[in-house]
Amino acid sequence: MRKPWVVGVLLAAVLLGACTDPSSGPGAAPPPVAAPEPSATTHGRPAASPSAAPVEPPTVLYLGDSLAMENQEVLGQELRGDLRARYTSAPHSGTTLCDYLEGSAERSLVPAADKAAALVRSLRPDYVVLQFWGNAWGYTPCMDGITYDASRNRYRERYAADARRLTEQIRAAGGDRRPRIVWVLQGPDPITPDRIRRVNAVYEERAAASGDLVADAGRTVSPAGARHTWTQYLPCDAHERAHPDYCTQPGRDRTALHRDDDYLHFCLAPTTSTPKPCPVRSPGISRMAREITRVIANDVRPG
């Protein structure tokens, strides 16, 4: 297996950030797997019992970077299957929080119509899910060249300020129907493990300060008892054992989270310069989507 921190891999993972058909990318493709089929269940989980108390389907908006780009269809399937949610996704690869701020259009990778506040005004969502790895390698223009390697404290301060501004813009756009924000905690980073601790801490602090939610999707792709330790494989969980297509190495009772040539993304198809949702079954994506859905479901129907 190639080491995940090879220089070329880092650039591809950060700048490309999307999946394509395995036959169109370089290198060996993962074993072919079928795309999820629509059904009355969500990836094998039974739909809500007819006897359960009726719940008004929530409206959910999903924003983020390349991880959200590859996750978006699976998250939509989970939310629709479990909550009958009205769901819209508008991720843009390579972005960070400042790209979704209104007033940053000239130096942003996100067009004005897809800014968080603009979408909140038009869609009136109940939940806004934000999933950002924290891209800041001199590539995202609105970060003003602030990178983690150059100044860790400055990076954290800027990231916290952007999280606060984004929260305020979403709140103002929602008016008397302010949506709840779901901050998605990120999985381990083998290059700068402390960076993810800082980014996740910003999300947790912001959620606590504004009465919003945290979905620790990163925990589901981390080893038990080692939250910030990167791994390419994990033991299959109960869901994956019950649905062998997700237990990618069933004879060894383990599942693949990453390709050999991409430590960052969870899509088991190669990355490409044309961002699109992941086209193959990928356990890491399924794990994260199920955790985000669980957090929203618990808030929609508490107790």
Side-chain angles (χ1 to χ4, degrees):
M1 183 185 80
R2 292 187 291 275
K3 296 292 185 182
W5 44 86
V6 174
V7 172
V9 174
L10 175 59
L11 291 175
V14 173
L15 301 183
L16 300 183
C19 292
T20 186
D21 186 90
S23 63
S24 65
V33 286
E37 294 292 335
S39 69
T41 64
T42 303
H43 299 296
R45 185 180 61 249
S49 168
S51 62
V55 173
E56 180 68 21
T59 299
V60 180
L61 172 63
Y62 184 39
L63 307 177
D65 54 22
S66 60
L67 296 182
M69 175 65 72
E70 66 182 13
N71 293 356
Q72 59 183 312
E73 287 190 356
V74 176
L75 179 59
Q77 290 165 1
E78 292 288 337
L79 288 167
R80 293 184 187 106
D82 196 3
L83 296 168
R84 298 178 295 119
R86 296 177 291 271
Y87 171 77
T88 301
S89 58
H92 290 268
S93 293
T95 58
T96 193
L97 298 178
C98 58
D99 285 292
Y100 280 88
L101 289 169
E102 288 192 322
S104 65
E106 292 183 0
R107 296 183 303 107
S108 173
L109 302 176
V110 175
D114 280 358
K115 300 297 187 182
L119 289 172
V120 167
R121 282 191 291 268
S122 63
L123 299 171
R124 309 299 288 173
D126 300 299
Y127 296 90
V128 177
V129 180
L130 301 176
Q131 180 161 9
F132 291 92
W133 173 252
N135 294 332
W137 287 274
Y139 173 66
T140 310
C142 65
M143 282 294 291
D144 299 318
I146 299 172
T147 65
Y148 182 77
D149 288 338
S151 177
R152 299 183 178 190
N153 288 337
R154 190 178 177 207
Y155 170 86
R156 189 189 189 285
E157 290 169 0
R158 171 60 186 274
Y159 213 70
D162 287 343
R164 183 175 61 253
R165 287 182 62 201
L166 192 57
T167 299
E168 291 168 352
Q169 288 191 2
I170 290 171
R171 176 187 292 120
D176 58 1
R177 281 197 57 199
R178 178 195 181 277
R180 297 201 79 180
I181 297 173
V182 182
W183 293 97
V184 180
L185 304 190
Q186 302 303 289
D189 178 355
I191 306 299
T192 53
D194 188 57
R195 187 189 63 81
I196 283 297
R197 293 177 186 268
R198 290 174 181 240
V199 166
N200 285 344
V202 166
Y203 296 159
E204 291 177 303
E205 291 165 8
R206 177 48 30 206
S210 56
D212 288 311
L213 302 172
V214 167
D216 193 357
R219 174 187 55 80
T220 70
V221 292
S222 306
R227 173 63 178 80
H228 294 94
T229 299
W230 186 92
T231 183
Q232 186 176 4
Y233 301 95
L234 280 178
C236 298
D237 63 19
H239 175 87
E240 290 155 358
R241 292 188 187 102
H243 303 89
D245 284 340
Y246 287 96
C247 196
T248 54
Q249 298 182 311
R252 305 172 69 177
D253 192 39
R254 71 175 191 172
T255 195
L257 302 177
H258 304 278
R259 289 172 51 84
D260 289 352
D261 56 0
D262 189 344
Y263 78 90
L264 170 59
H265 298 97
F266 294 89
C267 184
L268 296 183
T271 56
T272 175
S273 58
T274 304
K276 63 176 65 176
C278 185
V280 299
R281 292 187 189 273
S282 299
I285 290 176
S286 175
R287 288 180 178 217
M288 291 188 292
R290 284 184 279 128
E291 178 61 16
I292 295 168
T293 300
R294 185 192 67 80
V295 168
I296 294 175
N298 287 348
D299 193 63
V300 169
R301 46 186 185 225

